[in-house]
Amino acid sequence: RHEGYKIMVMNRAGVVLLFFAVLAGYREWNHSYGLSVWEEYYQDMMLRLEGEMTQEKEALILAEQDRYEEAFALIQRIEEMISAGVLDQETGENMKSELSAVTAFYPSFCRVLQQYERIRTEGGVFVYDTGYRYLLGCMNEEDLINLLLFSCGIILAFGNGIAMEDRNGSWALLSATRIGKRRILACKTALCVTASAAVPPVAFVCRAVRLSGIYPLHGLTASIRSIPIWQDFWADLPVWGFCALYLLSQAAALILVTLAVLLLSWRRRDAVPAYFFGALIFAVPLVLKILGFSFAGYFSVYPLYSWPGVL
């Protein structure tokens, strides 16, 4: 309790972490997600198909496939008639434009077909996956911004975590033995690690709530392999288990940042070098990646923090 009071209250680490957590959560809560007409079509199809395969669902997919095949066949026939001189160019193009309004949604239907073919050959269920792709960092780089915010928060919060006794001469006042000093440092480390691991769920929950109103997050008990982008994942986890693993990896990444910052604070015996070198190691590569230097991300904990989007 005493070490927690010193770090979180006297050193204001709790306020700093809370500020950056709220900042990341605010960004996620106010993020704007657009629903294109192609996504509306895909969403409508997948919400009608969700769950186990049935004869009615299969009939719906096959009827939709026949509709597209008929439209493509008519377009080809019109092109042949234009080439043969049976139709003039303007009339043919007008006829094709009407059919193109149908075939424009074919790429979205191909996503439905991908799940249908997998279920036919390997089994499984239909899952509307767009929301999960956003939630797990595959559709944007929100995780990159969050990691930068959290890393800066951890550096500022814990850069003085170990050095504070050296700076104010408290070790001499405490007269701690070697074993006692180790226990104090272990307490500090445990407190800082626990606090940093509790930060990622804030952004995750805000993102999930924001997404669920636009891209429904159904099928939490389905296998993660039911989502095409992760159909080759090595473990057959439920979707909720995959999300939990994602959160654990984010916590592990921030724990690594925390341990490194505490090590810098202990080795340098001063907060300023810990702030500087912590920012140099953990913040600068992320800033470079944001600026377009994609290779810089591999010199940070970003691959661990957002591994579902890297797979």
Side-chain angles (χ1 to χ4, degrees):
R1 290 197 299 268
H2 180 64
E3 295 302 326
Y5 176 78
K6 282 176 18 183
I7 294 174
M8 297 297 173
V9 179
M10 291 179 58
N11 208 38
R12 297 181 178 84
V15 175
V16 173
L17 279 182
L18 182 62
F19 171 77
F20 281 94
V22 170
L23 191 61
Y26 179 80
R27 285 188 68 259
E28 294 290 356
W29 189 268
N30 288 277
H31 193 279
S32 177
Y33 295 96
L35 199 63
S36 67
V37 291
W38 297 276
E39 184 60 33
E40 286 182 4
Y41 168 84
Y42 178 66
Q43 184 181 98
D44 179 65
M45 284 289 296
M46 290 306 303
L47 293 181
R48 291 162 67 186
L49 294 171
E50 272 187 336
E52 299 284 343
M53 173 80 80
T54 63
Q55 291 183 352
E56 292 78 9
K57 292 176 181 179
E58 187 171 16
L60 173 63
I61 294 171
L62 294 177
E64 195 74 0
Q65 187 175 24
D66 290 340
R67 187 169 73 93
Y68 283 112
E69 288 178 354
E70 182 181 354
F72 283 120
L74 286 173
I75 290 174
Q76 185 176 359
R77 192 180 307 166
I78 291 169
E79 290 176 347
E80 291 173 353
M81 293 172 70
I82 293 173
S83 299
V86 178
L87 286 176
D88 62 86
Q89 187 72 29
E90 184 177 354
T91 303
E93 291 298 328
N94 289 335
M95 294 172 66
K96 284 169 60 178
S97 64
E98 294 177 5
L99 293 169
S100 296
V102 176
T103 59
F105 294 95
Y106 186 69
S108 297
F109 179 68
C110 285
R111 294 174 62 187
V112 179
L113 275 181
Q114 186 179 8
Q115 292 207 37
Y116 169 68
E117 293 296 336
R118 176 191 51 78
I119 293 171
R120 276 207 317 165
T121 57
E122 303 175 13
V125 297
F126 289 101
V127 176
Y128 177 50
D129 60 325
T130 302
Y132 290 113
R133 294 173 70 181
Y134 275 112
L135 181 64
L136 299 172
C138 298
M139 301 287 284
N140 51 37
E141 291 193 334
E142 293 303 307
D143 280 346
L144 180 60
I145 307 297
N146 289 342
L147 178 57
L148 178 60
L149 290 173
F150 293 149
S151 297
C152 290
I154 288 170
I155 292 166
L156 292 174
F158 302 135
N160 194 38
I162 304 296
M164 57 194 307
E165 279 80 10
D166 291 293
R167 294 183 68 188
N168 58 25
S170 296
W171 287 125
L173 182 63
L174 291 171
S175 300
T177 63
R178 183 174 298 179
I179 294 176
K181 188 173 181 180
R182 286 177 183 171
R183 287 177 178 173
I184 291 173
L185 294 178
C187 281
K188 287 176 177 287
T189 303
L191 285 165
C192 296
V193 162
T194 303
S196 61
V199 169
V202 176
F204 181 84
V205 171
C206 291
R207 184 187 299 178
V209 173
R210 184 74 178 90
L211 281 169
S212 61
I214 303 168
Y215 306 102
L217 301 172
H218 298 166
L220 280 170
T221 57
S223 170
I224 192 61
R225 292 175 180 171
S226 297
I227 298 178
I229 193 173
W230 297 299
Q231 64 182 5
D232 297 323
F233 188 64
W234 59 273
D236 190 16
L237 296 173
V239 172
W240 67 263
F242 191 79
C243 292
L245 185 62
Y246 170 70
L247 273 176
L248 286 174
S249 68
Q250 290 192 333
L254 294 185
I255 286 172
L256 289 177
V257 175
T258 302
L259 291 174
V261 170
L262 291 176
L263 180 62
L264 287 169
S265 180
W266 175 64
R267 293 289 294 176
R268 306 304 300 180
R269 301 181 185 277
D270 193 355
V272 175
Y275 295 147
F276 175 77
F277 288 109
L280 187 65
I281 296 170
F282 295 108
V284 170
L286 299 177
V287 173
L288 290 175
K289 183 171 174 60
I290 292 171
L291 293 175
F293 300 94
S294 57
F295 67 90
Y298 295 103
F299 296 93
S300 68
V301 296
Y302 180 64
L304 175 62
Y305 189 86
S306 187
W307 57 266
V310 179
L311 286 178

